[in-house]
Amino acid sequence: MRATHEVTNQVPPLVYDVADDPALLSALGRADAGWASGELHELGRLAGSEQVQDWGRLVNENEPVLRTHDRYGHRIDEVEFHPRWHDLMRVAVSHGLQAAPWRDERVGVHAARAAKLFVWGQAEAGHTCPISMTYAAVPALRANPELAAQYEPLLAATEYDFGLRVPSGKRGLIAGMSMTEKQGGSDVRANTTAARPGGDGTYRLVGHKWFTSAPMSDVFLTLAQAPGGLSCFLLPRVLPDGARNGIRLQRLKDKLGNRSNASAEIEYDDAVGWMVGEEGRGVRTIIEMVNSTRLDCALGSASGMRLGAVRAVHHARHRSAFGRALVDHPLMANVLADLVVESDAATTVAMRLAAAGDRPGDGQERAFRRLGLAVTKYWVCKRAPMHAAEALECFGGNGYVEESGMPRLYREAPLMSIWEGSGNVAALDALRAMVRQPESVEAFFAEAGQAAGGDGRLDEAVGALKKELSDVDGIEFRARRVVESMALVLQGSLLVRHGAAAVSDAFCATRFGGDGGVAFGTLPLGTDTSAIIARACG
């Protein structure tokens, strides 16, 4: 066929080291985890390669399929994945993104794992769900030392071993979490799944779970009503004698995004489980898991923002309009720089919270993490969809086309704000922390106060926030506004202390100084947009 025209002004493929991220690398060093930088760059080059980017495309275009029965009519409850899904999982597990840090005594190991998750998640976000749940299962499982001794080494193993077999005979395990029921949602105390003692140390569970992500996992932590109240249980898919447990996959959810990852409705049909923690204290037990997955929600949102900013900058550097590159147009430069500012702020605060997890024996750090994580989970995850929409728009019509990869990022963005407690739940959790653990408020302001005198606009915002918190009338009605202010103050303090000067100045001017608007791209005149944009040149 004869060529009808010459193709020009098209953007080349983006192939780069995803770990080449100044905000991330700086945070890694502050967390005493610089020893992981070599592995981080290895993972970053892989994540940014054409091959792995294609893996991400394939697993989202070829979604998991539920096989409830084999051809003979036997119940099998299997989920079939595209082969590249297993490649993504294998890389994640081999680099210890699931639970390896719990068995590693090096300083900064949890911050290092967070940085690796941040980088590898930019290759494909869906498969990080079972990776995150496996990581989070360990601290909850330790409420039953006997079960922890049996399962923790396999959860922490750096070998991915997919398939339905007795857990003790596998080289490594993946864990899931199953809490939500259709009548309760976030209100897990409304759960009706029942657990009756089996007389042999086990329990038999009967009930329905409305959302169980990664139903192909080897073991699950779940909540059910025991005789003594709502309790936490461990359920393997295959029992020690090789029989399949009574966990029936009813259907897979047809979701907005996160489509590479299977999420299912399941039935417990006399399923066998072992209690984890005390009877009647299931929420307290499983909250250890939730706190870890909430950190990964913030990391996932920050990871998506970084990916959106880098892709938008790459497009603008190579696409011309009206006689010059898009990035050279002042208003586009304003938008791009603002996207980078938001990304840097999200990365910095998420990594600070990850670093706090490396100091569990420090009461101040523990108190700071309790409140800081709640406010960060609310705000960073709430900003991600807006950020993805603006980054997509930088591509014009090309961004609305699947081939650009931006629609997938856009569909993925709302998930982290919903997972492990939607916006209202996260905001109210922050209020609950302040009431039940007043030391967390002191720790929060001690952290924010380390930037005192560094920027007058931030100092004013801290003073206004203290005044806001002193007025408890109607505070639940104002919860979102209060928690947003707290999140911005925390981000501002970290950027003033540790961020690039141009970034921290732009952040304080627009988030505190009244020089910005609701939309991205409202940085004040005089902002060093070139210096900021250069931080996202993949």
Side-chain angles (χ1 to χ4, degrees):
M1 183 176 180
R2 187 177 63 184
T4 59
H5 66 286
E6 181 182 358
V7 177
T8 62
N9 201 25
Q10 288 291 303
V11 177
L14 174 58
V15 178
Y16 69 116
D17 179 356
V18 176
D20 188 12
D21 178 343
L24 180 68
L25 295 174
S26 176
L28 194 70
R30 290 193 299 276
D32 296 324
W35 51 264
S37 61
E39 184 184 1
L40 190 66
H41 282 291
E42 175 190 338
L43 204 54
R45 288 188 292 272
L46 190 58
S49 67
E50 284 189 274
Q51 180 191 42
V52 171
Q53 290 182 52
D54 199 47
W55 290 358
R57 176 187 65 81
L58 286 168
V59 298
N60 280 274
E61 290 180 358
N62 300 274
E63 299 173 22
V65 177
L66 174 61
R67 308 292 186 194
T68 57
H69 296 77
D70 66 14
R71 66 178 190 161
Y72 303 108
H74 300 127
R75 187 99 198 196
I76 57 173
D77 295 294
E78 296 271 21
V79 181
E80 185 177 287
F81 290 87
H82 189 278
R84 299 292 82 77
W85 165 274
H86 300 297
D87 289 333
L88 289 162
M89 289 289 290
R90 191 171 294 109
V91 172
V93 171
S94 68
H95 284 272
L97 274 63
Q98 75 310 356
W102 300 111
R103 309 284 288 185
D104 190 333
E105 296 182 355
R106 284 178 292 180
V107 175
V109 68
H110 288 279
R113 178 260 174 192
K116 290 189 285 186
L117 183 73
F118 177 94
V119 165
W120 186 242
Q122 292 177 57
E124 200 284 316
H127 80 288
T128 64
C129 173
I131 293 297
S132 176
M133 290 191 295
T134 305
Y135 171 71
V138 170
L141 194 58
R142 287 176 174 175
N144 185 322
E146 185 178 339
L147 289 177
Q150 181 180 353
Y151 287 101
E152 186 176 322
L154 291 168
L155 292 168
T158 52
E159 290 194 63
Y160 175 63
D161 190 1
F162 182 80
L164 273 176
R165 297 191 300 284
V166 176
S168 61
K170 300 187 72 174
R171 300 187 307 276
L173 301 178
I174 296 296
M177 177 169 54
S178 188
M179 293 198 297
T180 308
E181 297 187 10
K182 51 191 168 187
Q183 77 282 350
S186 296
D187 183 9
V188 294
R189 295 192 184 277
N191 285 5
T192 60
T193 294
R196 56 181 174 80
D200 58 355
T202 66
Y203 287 73
R204 301 298 191 273
L205 277 67
V206 175
H208 182 94
K209 294 295 181 179
W210 193 233
F211 264 100
T212 298
S213 285
M216 70 293 171
S217 299
D218 298 292
V219 295
F220 298 94
L221 285 174
T222 193
L223 293 177
Q225 298 286 357
L230 191 64
S231 305
C232 180
F233 298 89
L234 177 78
L235 278 72
R237 287 196 67 203
V238 180
L239 296 171
D241 64 1
R244 294 196 177 192
N245 208 352
I247 302 173
R248 313 301 184 204
L249 308 188
Q250 301 299 88
R251 64 170 176 165
L252 299 186
K253 296 290 193 180
D254 187 8
K255 299 172 293 184
L256 167 68
N258 204 247
R259 300 185 73 88
S260 70
N261 176 46
S263 296
E265 293 173 33
I266 68 171
E267 294 278 354
Y268 291 138
D269 182 9
D270 210 34
V272 179
W274 284 261
M275 187 174 288
V276 180
E278 298 179 44
E279 185 170 359
R281 298 175 70 83
V283 174
R284 180 179 291 273
T285 300
I286 211 165
I287 204 69
E288 291 295 330
M289 186 173 192
V290 171
N291 283 337
S292 294
T293 46
R294 281 179 176 170
L295 172 63
D296 282 2
C297 287
L299 285 164
S301 290
S303 176
M305 287 190 208
R306 175 65 182 178
L307 179 61
V310 169
R311 284 187 173 178
V313 168
H314 177 76
H315 180 87
R317 289 175 63 214
H318 293 92
R319 178 81 169 178
S320 297
F322 309 109
R324 52 181 166 169
L326 286 175
V327 72
D328 294 330
H329 289 268
L331 187 52
M332 178 59 83
N334 196 326
V335 171
L336 294 170
D338 212 357
L339 291 173
V340 176
V341 167
E342 190 73 24
S343 170
D344 272 18
T347 301
T348 302
V349 72
M351 285 297 296
R352 171 65 183 91
L353 290 164
D358 276 309
R359 293 184 282 276
D362 186 326
Q364 178 90 353
E365 284 290 275
R366 213 167 44 245
F368 163 69
R369 190 177 188 272
R370 171 65 183 94
L371 182 53
L373 182 55
V375 300
T376 297
K377 199 279 182 188
Y378 168 76
W379 181 243
V380 170
C381 297
K382 190 64 69 180
R383 290 291 278 174
M386 298 174 62
H387 192 279
E390 196 69 64
L392 182 153
E393 192 173 322
C394 290
F395 287 65
N398 291 317
Y400 207 67
V401 175
E402 290 290 344
E403 289 176 340
S404 71
M406 299 306 288
R408 192 173 93 218
L409 178 65
Y410 181 72
R411 288 191 299 269
E412 201 75 36
L415 173 62
M416 297 303 174
S417 190
I418 297 170
W419 192 25
E420 301 301 18
S422 55
N424 284 354
V425 173
L428 293 173
D429 185 50
L431 297 189
R432 188 180 305 112
M434 288 188 276
V435 171
R436 296 182 180 177
Q437 296 176 252
E439 67 274 15
S440 68
V441 182
E442 297 175 13
F444 178 89
F445 280 108
E447 178 73 23
Q450 292 184 46
D455 190 289
R457 297 160 296 193
L458 172 61
D459 292 341
E460 288 184 18
V462 171
L465 175 60
K466 290 180 177 179
K467 183 177 180 180
E468 179 93 26
L469 290 177
S470 68
D471 179 10
V472 296
D473 290 339
I475 196 166
E476 184 173 326
F477 186 78
R478 297 182 283 116
R480 285 190 173 216
R481 187 177 74 191
V482 170
V483 174
E484 175 185 330
S485 297
M486 295 181 75
L488 290 173
V489 160
L490 180 55
Q491 287 182 322
S493 172
L494 290 167
L495 289 177
V496 166
R497 284 181 281 153
H498 308 302
V503 171
S504 63
D505 183 65
F507 185 92
C508 291
T510 50
R511 278 64 171 177
F512 305 129
D515 287 336
V518 175
F520 287 104
T522 58
L523 301 176
L525 193 65
T527 299
D528 190 351
T529 57
S530 295
I532 297 172
I533 291 169
R535 296 174 64 80
C537 292

